[in-house]
Amino acid sequence: MDFFPVFLNLKGKKCLVVGGGEVACRKAALLMQAGAIIKVVSPELDASFNILLQQNVAGEYIAQRFQPAHLEGVTLAIAATDDAAVNEEVSRAAKSKNIPVNVVDNPGLCSFVMPSILDRSPLLVAISTGGASPVLARILRGKLETLIPQGYGKLAAFSARFRDAVKQHIHTIGQRRIFWENVLDGPVAEKVFSGDEASAEAMLLTMLSSENQTRAGEVYLVGAGPGDPDLLTFKALRLMQKADVVLYDNLVSKPVLDMTRRDAERIFVGKMRGDHTLPQEGINDLLVRLALEGKRVLRLKGGDPFIFGRGGEEIEKLAEHKISFQVVPGITAASGVSAYAGIPLTHRDHAQSCVFVTGHLRDGSMDLDWEMLARPKQTVVVYMGLHGLEILCAKLIEHGLAQTTPAAIVQQGTTQNQRVVCGTLTTLPHIAQHEKLQAPTLIIVGGVVSLREKLAWFKPKNLL
Ligand code: SAH
């Protein structure tokens, strides 16, 4: 270990920053976040630094070149000037007085290095490469940003409030550890993350009063997006890696499914056209049963769970059984697929509104509000519409849309199998018949489709 990591308490302590430019200002801002009093020494001071310093109540600015006397009463010093001689002087003078000193971008002159910081106060993660590669530390911090949700700071502060009470109630260290694991990795934590600290507190106190530390089950209804795993939200990923059991269907792409916890049980509850593997009621009941067994259940759904996903019905059942659940929105097909196809859903010249409809056939017909759909300057996105494509195009023309209105079908949008077939309301049904399109497919109708010629940017690998 080249450096010994510690966390310093700088509240009310005077810290010297030598330099008045942008870098010095950034360091001063960090020290201020830790409650330090800033003393800036520099012949000149940037305007933005001056503004910052005014927020530091006892902060002072000395418009001079650095002298060792400036180190009087200082707890820590940072040199951030572009003058190598000054930086060296600060380092030498501070070291001779045993004051910790950092010289920006010059590890040889430092007695301490500044880590890359992930701040979820009171939770702090500091990463250092000992000055070897600050960029690597920053990249790593970026990765951790995605793993440690914002709410962890709140969670740490929340836990602190109950530490003494837990110590009084649970006497053995082992039992206390189980208790805290259940709190920090279970429904209580999820309640804190979603901002409901009152329920979190009630749940924690109930757990505290129960004899055995068992776990209550919960359900995460998570939108998995349209296919590209990079389109998952941080929250979706976090819950995917936490769940004990995963219920998924055919819209969830394999790369997305691969991101769930390795040892989680996976249950396919997909629905194929005309072959309903497990009826919706069966899925609802299964969710309830698994949660009552104390499992953390992930219900992973393609796109967004509340858009043509029957997500609402699934959680209604959970609510009736008082099972804890949360819903994580996902990028819906219309949004993801249009972005990757280079078709903006709205555009100043082509569409001021956009509607999403389902084109699912019932008894061979499509029950839609055709007048509304055939309005000018509007984009219509049709989910589950391929089998009714002919009816769809004919009805839109019948209700007033021009035969030449551009229309597109996007197959497996956002994935490496994406294909986009373009035509007009008249030609598209014929074109579709000759293309062997693979589900899922999305239909987009409106002037915006013509923009694709110019805006297509995504190049799938498996382009046929
Ligand atoms: N909840 C989902 C929609 C479920 S309905 C969402 O928000 O996206 C299923 C329909 O979504 C499919 O029939 C298809 O029309 C559309 N769809 C979903 N993913 C798609 C994709 N990657 N490419 C094209 N269409 C998609």
Side-chain angles (χ1 to χ4, degrees):
M1 212 194 279
D2 290 333
F3 288 86
F4 184 68
V6 289
F7 291 86
L8 283 180
N9 182 351
L10 292 179
K11 283 202 181 58
K13 295 281 192 307
K14 195 172 275 185
C15 293
L16 176 71
V17 176
V18 183
E22 193 194 321
V23 181
C25 178
R26 261 205 317 267
K27 302 291 173 193
L30 267 178
L31 291 169
M32 276 167 62
Q33 277 179 35
I37 298 170
I38 311 294
K39 176 176 176 180
V40 187
V41 170
S42 168
E44 275 137 36
L45 193 67
D46 272 8
S48 53
F49 200 167
N50 196 13
I51 294 169
L52 179 83
L53 203 57
Q54 276 159 27
Q55 295 160 25
N56 194 226
V57 180
E60 61 177 319
Y61 167 52
I62 301 170
Q64 289 173 9
R65 201 189 135 93
F66 170 76
Q67 294 154 30
H70 292 139
L71 286 163
E72 205 58 51
V74 159
T75 303
L76 178 146
I78 294 180
T81 77
D82 46 16
D83 184 329
V86 172
N87 287 347
E88 214 163 307
E89 206 183 328
V90 176
S91 168
R92 200 175 332 108
K95 281 179 182 168
S96 76
K97 289 184 159 47
N98 282 329
I99 295 171
V101 62
N102 177 276
V103 177
V104 174
D105 266 346
N106 197 335
L109 294 180
C110 295
S111 64
F112 75 91
V113 290
M114 300 266 274
S116 205
I117 301 166
L118 185 83
D119 188 357
R120 303 277 192 275
S121 286
L123 175 83
L124 278 173
V125 181
I127 305 160
S128 167
T129 56
S133 176
V135 174
L136 183 64
R138 235 175 290 146
I139 291 173
L140 265 175
R141 192 198 66 186
K143 290 189 193 290
L144 288 174
E145 287 276 4
T146 65
L147 285 179
I148 304 177
Q150 292 292 339
Y152 267 45
K154 263 199 289 179
L155 184 60
F158 174 83
S159 315
R161 283 172 38 208
F162 301 97
R163 269 188 75 171
D164 289 342
V166 172
K167 247 188 205 156
Q168 275 168 19
H169 269 80
I170 308 175
H171 300 293
T172 68
I173 293 178
Q175 280 285 307
R176 272 208 298 274
R177 207 193 55 223
I178 295 174
F179 175 82
W180 279 122
E181 277 173 6
N182 285 345
V183 167
L184 299 174
D185 209 17
V188 175
E190 293 303 334
K191 286 281 180 233
V192 174
F193 293 153
S194 58
D196 186 359
E197 290 207 12
S199 300
E201 178 165 351
M203 281 163 108
L204 184 141
L205 295 176
T206 311
M207 281 167 73
L208 202 53
S209 60
S210 71
E211 286 295 306
N212 298 321
Q213 300 301 333
T214 52
R215 184 152 70 197
E218 55 184 336
V219 176
Y220 318 130
L221 178 60
V222 172
D228 180 351
D230 280 358
L231 294 178
L232 283 170
T233 60
F234 291 156
K235 193 166 188 178
L237 186 61
R238 180 170 64 77
L239 295 176
M240 283 164 71
Q241 304 204 332
K242 184 169 169 179
D244 307 305
V245 46
V246 183
L247 272 67
Y248 67 101
D249 47 50
N250 29 319
L251 269 188
V252 175
S253 72
K254 186 169 179 310
V256 169
L257 192 62
D258 284 346
M259 293 176 91
T260 54
R261 221 175 80 193
R262 289 260 164 262
D263 58 336
E265 183 187 351
R266 294 175 185 183
I267 305 175
F268 178 71
V269 292
K271 290 171 225 153
M272 300 292 182
R273 262 183 58 78
D275 163 32
H276 286 228
T277 315
L278 189 60
Q280 188 63 49
E281 285 67 38
I283 298 177
N284 303 352
D285 292 343
L286 186 58
L287 287 172
V288 170
R289 184 166 62 73
L290 290 166
L292 289 178
E293 284 170 14
K295 300 226 166 82
R296 292 178 292 207
V297 189
L298 174 75
R299 174 63 175 115
L300 198 55
K301 282 175 131 7
D304 181 278
F306 279 2
I307 294 186
F308 306 128
R310 303 189 74 173
E313 294 164 49
E314 295 181 7
I315 54 175
E316 250 174 72
K317 201 63 179 252
L318 297 172
E320 283 163 21
H321 283 80
K322 302 211 166 7
I323 290 167
S324 180
F325 64 84
Q326 54 182 309
V327 184
V328 181
I331 292 185
T332 189
S335 189
V337 167
S338 63
Y340 277 52
I343 302 173
L345 292 180
T346 66
H347 186 282
R348 227 160 54 145
D349 302 334
H350 299 278
Q352 275 75 51
S353 65
C354 172
V355 279
F356 301 172
V357 292
T358 160
H360 200 66
L361 291 174
R362 257 192 207 172
D363 305 325
S365 73
M366 229 182 260
D367 184 19
L368 292 171
D369 181 350
W370 297 109
E371 310 257 281
M372 183 272 286
L373 292 183
R375 274 190 204 139
K377 298 230 167 194
Q378 172 169 269
T379 306
V380 180
V381 181
V382 188
Y383 288 68
M384 299 175 274
L386 192 61
H387 288 268
L389 180 65
E390 222 177 307
I391 303 176
L392 176 83
C393 293
K395 285 277 187 192
L396 287 175
I397 293 171
E398 191 186 314
H399 285 81
L401 281 190
Q403 294 187 351
T404 51
T405 306
I409 305 172
V410 185
Q411 158 194 307
Q412 299 182 4
T414 81
T415 74
Q416 294 303 331
N417 296 324
Q418 172 173 304
R419 273 175 72 203
V420 185
V421 180
C422 292
T424 65
L425 284 179
T426 323
T427 61
L428 199 63
H430 303 286
I431 299 173
Q433 266 177 8
H434 295 106
E435 303 283 341
K436 287 196 175 57
L437 292 168
Q438 285 168 22
T441 56
L442 193 78
I443 301 164
I444 307 176
V445 179
V448 288
V449 171
S450 63
L451 296 165
R452 173 177 156 78
E453 221 172 288
K454 217 167 159 189
L455 303 183
W457 59 272
F458 176 60
K459 308 271 178 278
K461 276 204 205 92
N462 306 337
L463 198 64
L464 297 175

